[in-house]
């Protein structure tokens, strides 16, 4: 973001760009404002994602989806207010939903209003991903408890996606004997860790309707 320029030396960053010095924040904001005037932001982001996937299409075997609240400092839009933990006050904010590949590198992001939960954002995001990678690519979606919803689980399974998440609420304590010592090679380095794996079967997940889930179904 333009504000990030303040954290770096303008001369050092300018050398990377082939310039005497990097542009000032206000200059970059002005130029980005002109680009935004074309209203092609989505097409630009999809184009960048497409170029990345053409080079390494296997990176989307696993997609990590996560939402982050971002304070809004502009004056062009009226956004709902929420508590901003860094400043400990209430202020206008938006939600950035990041989509990262299996290496954890960002593929693209979607900005929405603060009241748009992860359960509502995953469906349109995956529709955009399918356009980029095609119908044949098998995708496993990984998200945190913000996406816990039997409605969403039903939608994902019925559309051919696998998913990984964890359940909200309390859970039973696990004994140390429940864990198994595992070894693996990650980025060329031998690592060991203890893992507890347990399968969960949703018997009704194939027949749940997104608008007809009852409390009995969720239990």
């Amino acid at each position: 973001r333009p504000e990030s320029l303040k954290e770096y030396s303008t001369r050092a960053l300018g050398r990377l760009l082939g310039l005497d010095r990097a542009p000032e924040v206000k200059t970059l904001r002005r130029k980005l404002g002109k680009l935004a005037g074309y209203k092609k932001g989505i097409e630009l982001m999809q184009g960048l994602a497409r170029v990345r996937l053409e080079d390494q299409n296997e990176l989307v075997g696993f997609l990590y989806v996560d939402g982050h609240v971002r304070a809004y400092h502009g004056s062009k839009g009226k956004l709902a207010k929420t508590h901003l933990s860094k400043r400990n006050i209430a202020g206008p904010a938006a939600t950035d939903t990041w989509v990262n590949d299996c290496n954890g590198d960002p593929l693209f992001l979607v900005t929405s209003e603060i009241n748009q939960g992860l359960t509502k954002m995953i469906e349109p995001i995956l529709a955009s991903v399918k356009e980029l990678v095609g119908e044949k690519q098998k995708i496993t979606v990984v998200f945190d408890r913000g996406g816990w919803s039997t409605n969403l689980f039903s939608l994902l399974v019925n559309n051919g996606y696998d998913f990984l998440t964890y359940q909200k609420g309390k859970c039973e304590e696990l004994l140390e004997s429940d864990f198994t010592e595992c070894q693996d090679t990650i980025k060329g380095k031998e690592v060991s860790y203890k893992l507890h794996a347990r399968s969960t079967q949703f018997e009704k997940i194939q027949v749940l309707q997104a608008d007809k889930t009852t409390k009995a179904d969720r239990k």
Side-chain angles (χ1 to χ4, degrees):
R1 304 186 187 283
E3 288 74 17
S4 299
L5 287 177
K6 300 175 183 178
E7 302 174 9
Y8 302 94
S9 165
T10 55
R11 292 186 179 277
L13 185 57
R15 293 191 187 99
L16 294 175
L17 302 175
L19 303 172
D20 293 335
R21 57 188 296 122
E24 299 290 337
V25 172
K26 63 180 180 180
T27 301
L28 184 57
R29 281 178 174 167
R30 185 177 68 250
K31 291 182 178 296
L32 289 175
K34 290 182 178 179
L35 290 174
Y38 292 106
K39 300 185 183 300
K40 298 289 185 180
I42 295 178
E43 289 88 338
L44 174 61
M45 191 172 299
Q46 289 178 335
L48 293 173
R50 189 173 293 108
V51 169
R52 180 169 175 79
L53 292 177
E54 287 175 354
D55 182 45
Q56 292 179 299
N57 194 41
E58 72 279 359
L59 292 178
V60 293
F62 284 81
L63 285 181
Y64 300 88
V65 183
D66 195 15
H68 299 274
V69 174
R70 175 173 55 86
Y72 177 72
H73 303 287
S75 58
K76 300 298 183 181
K78 295 182 179 180
L79 298 178
K81 292 185 177 181
T82 189
H83 181 262
L84 304 174
S85 57
K86 289 185 177 180
R87 301 171 62 187
N88 198 28
I89 60 172
T95 299
D96 287 342
T97 303
W98 287 88
V99 182
N100 298 330
D101 61 29
C102 65
N103 288 335
D105 296 325
L107 188 61
F108 62 87
L109 71 87
V110 177
T111 299
S112 61
E113 294 185 18
I114 192 66
N115 59 353
Q116 294 293 316
L118 191 60
T119 56
K120 295 181 179 180
M121 295 304 300
I122 287 181
E123 181 180 0
I125 283 174
L126 292 179
S128 298
V129 171
K130 277 295 186 183
E131 293 181 4
L132 293 172
V133 303
E135 296 292 333
K136 295 183 179 181
Q137 174 70 47
K138 188 67 175 179
I139 296 175
T140 298
V141 191
V142 186
F143 49 89
D144 62 18
R145 62 181 183 171
W148 179 271
S149 165
T150 52
N151 294 338
L152 178 60
F153 298 164
S154 175
L155 184 146
L156 292 174
V157 171
N158 291 333
N159 284 278
Y161 297 101
D162 294 329
F163 65 91
L164 294 172
T165 187
Y166 59 92
Q167 187 173 3
K168 285 184 177 180
K170 297 181 179 179
C171 61
E172 61 184 27
E173 292 187 5
L174 298 174
L175 301 175
E176 186 174 354
S177 58
D178 294 330
F179 291 81
T180 303
E181 189 79 23
C182 301
Q183 285 81 32
D184 199 358
T185 303
I186 300 177
K187 294 186 177 180
K189 183 179 179 180
E190 295 290 335
V191 297
S192 61
Y193 54 91
K194 292 184 177 181
L195 176 68
H196 171 71
R198 180 176 59 186
S199 62
T200 301
Q201 183 175 356
F202 295 91
E203 295 181 356
K204 296 183 179 181
I205 199 167
Q206 292 286 357
V207 296
L208 283 176
Q209 296 296 321
D211 57 345
K212 295 182 180 180
T213 305
T214 65
K215 291 184 178 180
D217 290 328
R218 288 195 290 271
K219 290 180 181 178

